Amino acid sequence: TCQMVETSPRCLPNKPSCKDLRCLKGTTCQVVEGWPKCVANKPSCNDLRCPSGTTCKMAETSPRCVPINPSCNDADCPEGTRCKMVETSPKCLPVSHPPLVCHVLGRW
């Protein structure tokens, strides 16, 4: 391409870009120190299929399948019950009411 260098036009080679580079699957083009380069994609949870009962979480820079720890946030308890953790599982248990105590007012 022709560019002005100081006061006169000069023909300079085109600087390569990511448009000029085809990368293999699993890599993407990034400009490194002014030059296009194919670099490995960073792994993410989108690349990992976890077995049932687990979910993907990023551990530093790597995706990992970790067990799902159910909590009361995941429970939808019917009316008259409330969620309570029993060992490691959420359970819907009947709401216990304190015993009704009647106080008889004495006459003045």
Side-chain angles (χ1 to χ4, degrees):
T1 57
C2 188
Q3 290 183 352
M4 290 295 288
V5 177
E6 294 176 8
T7 57
S8 57
R10 293 247 170 113
C11 290
L12 299 171
N14 287 334
K15 200 168 194 181
S17 72
C18 281
K19 286 186 273 181
D20 307 313
L21 189 63
R22 295 189 88 177
C23 293
L24 296 173
K25 189 175 180 178
T27 65
T28 50
C29 182
Q30 290 181 353
V31 177
V32 178
E33 295 176 8
W35 294 93
K37 185 177 180 182
C38 293
V39 294
N41 293 339
K42 289 185 177 161
S44 74
C45 282
N46 294 335
D47 307 315
L48 188 65
R49 287 190 182 253
C50 290
S52 179
T54 65
T55 187
C56 183
K57 293 240 167 104
M58 290 300 289
E60 293 178 23
T61 58
S62 300
R64 299 263 186 262
C65 292
V66 295
I68 295 172
N69 294 325
S71 71
C72 280
N73 294 340
D74 307 313
D76 188 21
C77 292
E79 198 173 319
T81 66
R82 74 167 188 220
C83 185
K84 204 166 193 179
M85 291 300 290
V86 177
E87 293 178 20
T88 58
S89 301
K91 301 276 184 210
C92 294
L93 301 173
V95 175
S96 58
H97 296 284
L100 188 60
V101 177
C102 294
H103 293 279
V104 178
L105 294 175
R107 293 189 183 159
W108 297 95

